Amino acid sequence: MNVMAAMRETGDLDRARQTLEIEELSISYGRGPSPLRAVRNVSLTIAPGEAYGLIGESGSGKTSVAYAVMRYLHGAHVTANRVALRGRDLMRMPVRDLQGIRGRQVAMVYQDPLSALNPVLTVGEQIAEVLRRHRGMSRSAAWDRVVDLFGRVHLPNPSAMALRYPHQLSGGQQQRVVIAMAIACEPDMLIMDEPTTGLDVTTEAIILELVRELRQSIGASVLFISHNLGVVANICDRVGVLYAGQLIEEGPVRSVLTEPQHPYTAGLLAAIPRPEARQQRLHAIPGRLPDLRQVPAGCIFKPRCAFAMAACDTMPPVTEVAAGHVKRCHLDVPATASMEAIPRHVTAPASTGTPRLSIEGLSKWFGGGVLLRRDSDAVKAVNDITLSIQPGQTLAIVGESGSGKSTLARCVAGLLQPTHGRLLLDGQPLAATVQRRSRAEQQAIQFIFQNPESSLNPHHTVEEIVGRPVKLYSDARGAELRRRVIELLEIVKLDGTYAKRYPREMSGGEKQRLCIARAFAANPSLVICDEPTSALDISVQAAILNELVELQQRFGTSYLFISHDLAVVQHVADSVAVMYSGRLLEHGTPEQVFSAPHHPYTEALLAAVPRLDGVRRPRLERPTAAARTGCVYHRRCGRRLGEECDTVMPALRRDTAGHALACHAPADVLQQLQA
């Protein structure tokens, strides 16, 4: 598959010059006559200082490859001609020698930083332990090195941060601690498994910039695993596309991501939401990954491919389509034509009638206390928010972690009681808490949570999970109840065979579809979607977004859609609200919010979004805490005017077109600066 493999055969490549060399790696899980053949004959190399991206859907084998390099796959059957680090074969290395290499010459950054950190040790002690073990440092020298490392990964107040426990850090801070641990011994090879999944765009930008700095300062090679193609375009030199355990395309990152040659790669790129195609239905690759207990003899992608032909019943050859760019496919032309003629959806028309939901002066403060006159001590998670959603439309709330998005959503759902303000549903006052709401009000507002795994009862079948709200809010019982459950499953593209399954028997995308079916089982008028696609790969995300749009058109449901993915927001939203430190800084249509003039904070969010062309826009902010006086954003603002920004919180001013900004800078000045 790999061009490098062909070069090895002719002796043109010196093995000793490669940081990592993987040759014919295969991984199987399970025993018996039909094991799960998760990875098959994968070959790749990574040169010193090079960043290699490995992309593909969940279940394609990316993490298995990484764990095989680290020799962490206990219970799996792993075979390879060679998995070598700096010329030393890791597969045939004694365990004692391997323990000396892990952390010192090869280190891994995991997708979930919290699970990689010991909750009973301070983060500083965990890294100091690595230094004492691999570098033989004294306690004082190791601690000094920890503080220096925390400074290098841009953690604020490094000496104080080292004394904290993992639960006392934000997600972005936890990820930086894990990176600091990985680079502590300046390894030759860094393996990063989805290091930015779930992070907001500004934190993601900081992590990516950090990886670039580390490549320059310690000269490490990087194996970067991700399903975010924009991130890969910004950080990697070459990319390999893994599908169902087989490497199907490989080459320079610009070549592969701008001129894909394999239909699967083209399908992944077509699934990305784009502003210029906002009214189009997203391209979701049909079908799902094959059962790898029965691997077909021919092309593994044939059942899902728009270009499938008779020749695909045989294994496709590996062909070089450009310098260093290869594919495993029978197709002899670029695979972009299959993405044309996608049906469009129609945005719900603007409505001037009674809003479905009205949020009036809503605040939620934690701590302090109105009666004790300690309002200044309160954490104002949501502060004086006024918004509305029309029937059949989507209001998206965007902002970094900690901006107040989820707190606002929980107040709307009645899970938190607001400190001030009120809510109206279809023009009628809505009780503050769910316990005080009527059955009809509870039915009208449903929630789709970010993590489907934690929101589904593992002991209940799909039929029981979807059937519960049907029974609760209707008279359906027996055969009628089952018919209604099957109908709901089919609406979200799950057939009736799923009814008897348990959540553990479903993929991540299928679980999220199940959560959507459960929400719509109540026949709601408003659905709160809290980061519903943040943990999903690109193609599954496209399918879920298409389902939400179709359901909205079918039932006229309104959405309160919370996300930090600005591309997703541009695709689904009819209006967008930008929040920072509990305040509403901007509100308007997607075209208004994402085009100049916009608030400097919105400008910073857009600048942080990784682009497929790899072009990096300059950061326009300083990473400091929100201000308690004046504009909440003035400490980070690249457009700060002066004392007025430091002392006065700007009012939310709305122009004649309905675009609202909370900024002291006049709109025409922002327009000129941002143009």
Side-chain angles (χ1 to χ4, degrees):
M1 167 64 214
N2 191 289
V3 168
M4 296 294 183
M7 294 172 68
R8 281 194 297 271
E9 292 177 5
T10 60
D12 292 333
L13 182 65
D14 181 4
R15 282 175 166 169
R17 296 203 331 256
Q18 300 304 309
T19 300
L20 181 67
E21 181 186 20
I22 299 175
E23 186 177 332
E24 299 295 317
L25 173 67
S26 295
I27 303 168
S28 297
Y29 296 98
R31 300 183 181 276
S34 300
L36 183 72
R37 299 174 61 192
V39 175
R40 300 175 310 287
N41 303 317
V42 167
S43 298
L44 60 89
T45 59
I46 304 177
E50 181 182 41
Y52 184 100
L54 197 58
I55 63 175
E57 292 171 286
S58 298
S60 60
K62 306 185 300 294
T63 299
S64 290
V65 170
Y67 274 57
V69 172
M70 298 293 292
R71 274 183 60 182
Y72 283 158
L73 289 176
H74 304 294
H77 181 62
V78 182
T79 63
N81 290 348
R82 183 178 175 84
V83 177
L85 182 71
R86 291 288 191 185
R88 300 180 63 188
D89 196 335
L90 300 175
M91 294 293 101
R92 294 163 180 82
M93 185 176 291
V95 174
R96 181 181 295 274
D97 293 346
L98 188 66
Q99 290 173 343
I101 284 178
R102 289 177 183 151
R104 183 166 58 87
Q105 291 184 318
V106 57
M108 189 162 180
V109 177
Y110 301 89
Q111 178 174 350
D112 181 6
L114 194 56
S115 66
L117 295 170
N118 190 326
V120 301
L121 294 178
T122 64
V123 291
E125 173 56 28
Q126 294 182 57
I127 299 178
E129 184 179 27
V130 173
L131 293 166
R132 294 195 299 268
R133 165 72 175 80
H134 288 296
R135 288 292 182 90
M137 289 184 173
S138 65
R139 286 191 172 274
S140 60
W143 192 259
D144 290 343
R145 171 69 170 157
V146 167
V147 174
D148 176 64
L149 285 166
F150 280 8
R152 291 179 69 180
V153 298
H154 306 298
L155 283 168
N157 197 353
S159 56
M161 190 68 66
L163 297 173
R164 295 186 182 181
Y165 291 87
H167 71 275
Q168 296 174 309
L169 309 181
S170 69
Q173 290 171 338
Q174 291 168 3
Q175 193 62 282
R176 277 176 267 184
V177 167
V178 172
I179 292 174
M181 184 183 297
I183 67 168
C185 298
E186 299 190 350
D188 297 321
M189 185 79 224
L190 268 176
I191 299 174
M192 310 190 82
D193 187 8
E194 300 277 10
T196 62
T197 295
L199 301 181
D200 58 61
V201 288
T202 51
T203 304
E204 178 182 74
I206 290 171
I207 296 297
L208 296 181
E209 187 61 38
L210 174 60
V211 174
R212 283 188 286 267
E213 291 175 6
L214 294 174
R215 286 180 61 194
Q216 293 177 355
S217 61
I218 68 176
S221 302
V222 178
L223 175 59
F224 196 96
I225 295 170
S226 181
H227 62 249
N228 187 323
L229 303 190
V231 168
V232 170
N234 275 259
I235 206 70
C236 297
D237 304 302
R238 288 191 303 126
V239 62
V241 183
L242 200 63
Y243 176 74
Q246 188 175 70
L247 206 57
I248 58 170
E249 186 165 4
E250 183 189 53
V253 68
R254 298 289 178 274
S255 178
V256 173
L257 297 186
T258 59
E259 299 179 12
Q261 300 296 312
H262 195 285
Y264 176 63
T265 312
L268 291 178
L269 289 163
I272 299 173
R274 289 178 171 83
E276 66 273 14
R278 198 173 85 80
Q279 300 303 313
Q280 289 185 348
R281 177 181 169 84
L282 292 171
H283 177 91
I285 300 174
R288 53 184 298 179
L289 290 169
D291 183 354
L292 294 181
R293 291 170 296 187
Q294 303 290 335
V295 179
C299 175
I300 192 72
F301 188 61
K302 179 186 175 182
R304 304 174 70 182
C305 183
F307 294 96
M309 59 185 95
C312 298
D313 291 330
T314 61
M315 180 61 70
V318 176
T319 55
E320 185 169 11
V321 295
H325 186 170
V326 297
K327 67 174 180 179
R328 182 182 288 277
C329 184
H330 287 290
L331 194 66
D332 57 4
V333 295
T336 54
S338 63
M339 305 311 138
E340 298 176 355
I342 301 172
R344 292 174 176 266
H345 72 76
V346 180
T347 302
S351 173
T352 57
T354 303
R356 175 62 44 80
L357 176 73
S358 297
I359 303 170
E360 299 181 352
L362 194 79
S363 297
K364 177 57 184 176
W365 299 353
F366 296 95
V370 176
L371 295 178
L372 298 179
R373 300 184 181 278
R374 291 188 291 108
D375 292 0
S376 61
D377 298 331
V379 175
K380 298 178 180 180
V382 173
N383 200 0
D384 193 21
I385 300 296
T386 296
L387 291 166
S388 64
I389 311 175
Q390 295 294 337
Q393 292 201 346
T394 299
L395 168 65
I397 311 287
V398 302
E400 295 167 300
S401 298
S403 62
K405 308 185 302 294
S406 292
T407 301
L408 177 63
R410 280 164 169 72
C411 288
V412 172
L415 303 178
L416 290 174
Q417 182 169 352
T419 306
H420 303 292
R422 67 171 187 162
L423 299 166
L424 301 175
L425 183 68
D426 292 321
Q428 299 301 312
L430 183 66
T433 61
V434 70
Q435 294 87 350
R436 292 162 52 192
R437 292 177 183 175
S438 67
R439 176 65 62 87
E441 290 171 337
Q442 292 174 357
Q443 178 181 1
I445 301 177
Q446 296 296 311
F447 215 115
I448 300 173
F449 295 92
Q450 177 176 357
N451 186 352
E453 188 75 46
S454 62
S455 66
L456 296 171
N457 190 324
H459 304 294
H460 288 177
T461 64
V462 168
E463 184 173 4
E464 292 169 328
I465 290 169
V466 178
R468 187 174 186 273
V470 175
K471 287 194 295 184
L472 190 61
Y473 298 118
S474 76
D475 297 328
R477 297 293 185 274
E480 175 59 21
L481 174 62
R482 179 171 176 77
R483 184 197 65 77
R484 176 68 176 141
V485 168
I486 299 301
E487 180 183 281
L488 286 161
L489 292 178
E490 290 176 346
I491 286 174
V492 296
K493 308 299 189 293
L494 297 174
D495 61 51
T497 61
Y498 282 83
K500 297 303 180 184
R501 294 189 189 184
Y502 290 88
R504 64 177 178 271
E505 299 175 299
M506 304 171 72
S507 69
E510 289 169 343
K511 290 174 189 173
Q512 195 60 286
R513 281 191 171 99
L514 172 58
C515 289
I516 294 171
R518 178 178 60 182
F520 276 84
N523 194 24
S525 57
L526 173 68
V527 174
I528 301 170
C529 307
D530 189 1
E531 301 276 11
T533 64
S534 65
L536 303 178
D537 58 59
I538 299 165
S539 182
V540 176
Q541 172 183 273
I544 295 299
L545 293 177
N546 286 340
E547 298 298 338
L548 289 172
V549 169
E550 288 174 7
L551 288 168
Q552 184 174 56
Q553 293 175 337
R554 179 169 178 173
F555 298 108
T557 312
S558 299
Y559 291 142
L560 178 61
F561 194 97
I562 295 169
S563 180
H564 61 248
D565 189 323
L566 302 189
V568 167
V569 166
Q570 285 179 278
H571 181 75
V572 302
D574 298 295
S575 61
V576 180
V578 182
M579 288 184 66
Y580 177 75
S581 191
R583 287 280 191 177
L584 181 61
L585 298 187
E586 186 165 7
H587 180 228
T589 65
E591 291 78 13
Q592 291 169 336
V593 171
F594 295 124
S595 302
H598 36 226
H599 194 281
Y601 177 55
T602 309
E603 184 183 10
L605 292 178
L606 291 167
V609 176
R611 294 166 42 141
L612 272 176
D613 59 12
V615 175
R616 297 197 296 274
R617 287 164 286 192
R619 289 179 58 203
L620 300 170
E621 57 169 6
R622 301 177 294 278
T624 55
R628 294 181 68 88
T629 59
C631 175
V632 290
Y633 189 61
H634 81 256
R635 290 182 178 175
R636 296 173 62 180
C637 185
R639 308 298 188 192
R640 177 178 168 273
L641 297 178
E643 185 178 351
E644 185 180 24
C645 296
D646 302 344
T647 57
V648 180
M649 179 64 201
L652 193 71
R653 299 192 301 268
R654 199 172 293 273
D655 64 19
T656 55
H659 183 201
L661 287 173
C663 185
H664 289 299
D668 58 342
V669 173
L670 289 174
Q671 174 76 53
Q672 184 177 8
L673 291 170
Q674 293 164 352

